[in-house]
Amino acid sequence: MAHDAPVLVLDGPPGAGKTSLLARMVCALGDDAMWLTEPNSRLATGLSAPVHPSPAGHTLWFLRHELDKARAMRRLVTDEATRLLIADRNHLGALAYCYATHAEDSLPYTVARDFYARRIAPELPETVLTAVLLVSPDQSLTRRGKVAELPRWKQWFDASLLQRLYTFYTDIAPTLCPTPPAIINTDGATPEAVLAQVAGLLADAGLDQTARRLTSEAAPALRPPLDEQFTDAYNQLGGLEALGHPFTPAIAHRGDTVQLCQLGALHRDLTGHARLWNPLADPGRRAA
């Protein structure tokens, strides 16, 4: 009988706690899990790079990336060693941006929505679970220090944009998921409470052992330092500007070593070669 692991997608507005949750899941599940980091057009090169620097160009890149990812997930879930495939964002991120932005050169929301319905939805694996983490605009700003660390992140600190994102995730996103999502409001919720709700979602899908492991493992340290074995690769790829901060320590995974950053994963193999890992372009990689 064919083995097809379920996919768990984590999505939601900035500051909802998605990155902290992903860090905890990756560290707790170890070799049983694989993951796909948040799409990052700044690390795309050649024919895979955005065709135009406008918001519309980047949204089209994001949607094409999600199409490629949906197709890749069909292969990744058949790996016998994988009990759960975790995706940091999916098409909801692009659709939320199109819905919330007022930029004149952005892609119309209806165009993005139709691209998902016609192209992406038919390619998704059979079992896709979605956890939408919600946070109010005020809490989103407070948790992130109220000021953008880098100028290019400034738009994500616009209170009106955050309010429209909140509306999208509460009112519209549930209609754009393969199966009804779990909507988890993180305002006032502890990380343990959020984790428990996600574990319940997995248990309901028949992953009882995975759910128990999530809730029994200790949480990793918040914002760990970049491991020195990844320093050169991190800097060569663009450092903080391109990859953001690390959010897991360096961890052993299926014989190799990985460290996840906000916008990409760094991988070091047994030969000592450290690089960015891209499962869409590197199908032979055994670990995330």
Side-chain angles (χ1 to χ4, degrees), residues 13-148:
K18 181 169 55 69
T19 299
S20 299
L21 174 62
L22 179 59
R24 190 154 184 172
M25 297 185 73
V26 166
C27 292
L29 298 180
D31 289 353
D32 283 351
M34 289 185 68
W35 56 89
L36 302 167
T37 55
E38 183 169 341
N40 186 347
S41 63
R42 295 177 69 87
L43 297 176
T45 59
L47 295 177
S48 66
V51 296
H52 194 275
S54 66
H58 278 82
T59 300
L60 285 170
W61 174 88
F62 196 119
L63 291 169
R64 288 197 301 270
H65 175 91
E66 290 305 312
L67 177 58
D68 290 342
K69 187 166 77 177
R71 292 168 173 165
M73 287 194 297
R74 284 182 172 270
R75 168 181 50 81
L76 293 170
V77 298
T78 64
D79 177 8
E80 291 286 347
T82 300
R83 294 292 170 265
L84 180 67
L85 177 62
I86 309 169
D88 187 355
R89 292 202 181 279
N90 66 353
H91 59 276
L92 293 179
L95 298 181
Y97 176 77
C98 291
Y99 178 86
T101 185
H102 285 169
E104 292 184 359
D105 54 354
S106 62
L107 190 71
Y109 168 71
T110 54
V111 174
R113 182 199 61 201
D114 291 347
F115 185 99
Y116 160 70
R118 292 196 317 269
R119 304 288 302 279
I120 298 173
E123 298 288 347
L124 291 170
E126 182 177 349
T127 305
V128 179
L129 312 172
T130 305
V132 173
L133 273 58
L134 280 178
V135 63
S136 65
D138 286 346
Q139 275 294 309
S140 173
L141 292 170
T142 298
R143 291 176 183 178
R144 295 178 295 134
K146 297 188 177 182
V147 177

Side-chain angles (χ1 to χ4, degrees), residues 227-242:
D227 194 281
E228 61 181 10
Q229 65 187 303
F230 292 119
T231 299
D232 289 344
Y234 180 83
N235 291 332
Q236 289 167 7
L237 289 165
L240 179 66
E241 182 75 23

Side-chain angles (χ1 to χ4, degrees), residues 153-164:
W153 297 342
K154 186 176 179 180
Q155 66 173 327
W156 303 112
F157 288 76
D158 181 325
S160 61
L161 177 71
L162 293 173
Q163 183 59 58
R164 292 190 293 274

